[in-house]
Amino acid sequence: MIHEKIHTENMFLHYGSKLALNDISIQIPEKKVTAFIGPSGCGKSTFLRSLNRMNDLIDGVKIEGKILIDEINIYDKNIDVVTLRKKVGMVFQKSNPFAKSIYENVAYGPRINGVNDRKQLDEIVETALKNAAIWEEVKDRMNDSAMGLSGGQQQRLCIARTLAVNPEIVLMDEPASALDPLSTSKIEELIVQLKEKYTIVIVTHNMQQAARISDLTAFFYLGELIEFDKTKKIFTNPEKKQTEDYITGRFG
């Protein structure tokens, strides 16, 4: 029995008068990697950002329908968005470390959440860096600026920063699209490891990447969820012609 972590029902999202997401219903299981694929502007990043209410920050956004995480509607009036974003972490396309030391980047979230004991912070920081597969590269440089790290290291540091507040879900919006092939493969290996502890949802333009690392794949097109199934099935035997055309490169 697969436990579902995220469940949306008849979700619509408008930017002003523009319909960006049209009637999305999906069940995303716990501790798996779910990939969202589809051409640019098809709604996959918009949907991803709905899962931790990042779209709340944009004027004129209207959301209808239900988005449930652990069977709780995250758009209920009494939901604390700060607590939600602690539970549902986000890693962006462009690594965005703070202009602080490597240590302070990772300690930032726990500090905000009231952890001030140095020994406890040291443990959280080390664990997060280990979980993000970057500890060995940075353990002797903890006081150096995070800005001195390579792009791939900065992205893994941002993943560590997300993990430091102990989320249950990690959303990733094209986390490797700005990286070289070697850094990309490190991020991919890391994502596969992380699903042992976290539910991972990743938006990717790279179909080979989706095929390599995800358990399930959702194909979006023009704001609609066209097909959602096990990744192997989506890539070898999709139900819908649109999915097949996209995957074989006949359009988009």
Side-chain angles (χ1 to χ4, degrees):
M1 173 76 184
I2 292 178
H3 176 69
E4 68 176 45
K5 189 74 178 166
I6 302 167
H7 179 150
T8 73
E9 280 175 32
N10 311 115
M11 183 211 161
F12 294 81
L13 184 143
H14 291 83
Y15 289 122
S17 59
K18 179 181 179 290
L19 179 64
L21 292 170
N22 184 8
D23 200 7
I24 309 289
S25 296
I26 191 170
Q27 296 176 342
I28 295 174
E30 183 175 54
K31 294 187 180 166
K32 300 275 184 208
V33 179
T34 299
F36 295 168
I37 62 168
S40 291
C42 68
K44 55 192 188 295
S45 288
T46 298
F47 182 59
L48 187 80
R49 295 166 80 97
S50 305
L51 301 177
N52 71 346
R53 295 188 47 173
M54 290 294 281
N55 292 323
D56 290 20
L57 307 170
I58 303 165
D59 286 342
V61 164
K62 188 162 117 266
I63 292 175
E64 295 157 36
K66 283 185 181 168
I67 300 183
L68 308 172
I69 292 180
D70 293 329
E71 298 180 11
I72 292 167
N73 188 351
I74 63 168
Y75 284 84
D76 273 355
K77 287 194 252 322
N78 56 0
I79 291 290
D80 176 41
V81 177
V82 174
T83 308
L84 172 71
R85 292 194 188 134
K86 193 176 151 192
K87 180 174 178 168
V88 187
M90 182 103 182
V91 177
F92 295 93
Q93 179 172 0
K94 195 171 174 324
S95 57
N96 54 349
F98 305 133
K100 298 172 180 270
S101 70
I102 292 167
Y103 183 95
E104 286 303 331
N105 262 273
V106 185
Y108 179 82
R111 278 191 206 277
I112 283 187
N113 289 306
V115 180
N116 292 311
D117 177 63
R118 182 67 191 212
K119 188 163 173 294
Q120 197 183 348
L121 278 173
D122 287 352
E123 281 171 16
I124 292 170
V125 169
E126 181 174 336
T127 302
L129 290 167
K130 281 179 173 166
N131 284 341
I134 189 173
W135 169 250
E136 289 301 325
E137 295 163 57
V138 300
K139 63 182 182 192
D140 301 322
R141 308 165 52 184
M142 297 297 271
N143 295 322
D144 295 4
S145 168
M147 298 313 192
L149 296 171
S150 72
Q153 289 173 324
Q154 285 189 5
Q155 191 60 301
R156 277 180 289 143
L157 179 69
C158 292
I159 293 171
R161 191 174 70 195
T162 301
L163 300 181
V165 296
N166 215 6
E168 293 173 25
I169 297 168
V170 180
L171 309 177
M172 299 187 167
D173 195 354
E174 298 199 47
S177 65
L179 304 178
D180 62 89
L182 189 64
S183 299
T184 296
S185 75
K186 280 193 171 171
I187 296 278
E188 288 183 5
E189 278 170 34
L190 172 58
I191 290 168
V192 172
Q193 288 165 7
L194 288 175
K195 75 176 179 187
E196 288 174 20
K197 297 186 181 124
Y198 310 94
T199 301
I200 310 280
V201 186
I202 176 171
V203 165
T204 178
H205 264 119
N206 180 330
M207 281 192 282
Q208 288 77 21
Q209 183 172 73
R212 280 193 298 266
I213 65 170
S214 70
D215 301 290
L216 298 127
T217 295
F219 170 55
F220 287 82
Y221 185 60
L222 298 178
E224 295 191 5
L225 174 60
I226 304 297
E227 191 167 346
F228 177 54
D229 212 323
K230 291 197 167 87
T231 296
K232 191 164 183 216
K233 183 165 188 325
I234 291 277
F235 281 95
T236 56
N237 185 22
E239 303 268 314
K240 304 273 172 67
K241 185 169 186 325
Q242 280 167 298
T243 313
E244 187 180 349
D245 286 352
Y246 182 69
I247 280 164
T248 53
R250 283 202 279 272
F251 85 97

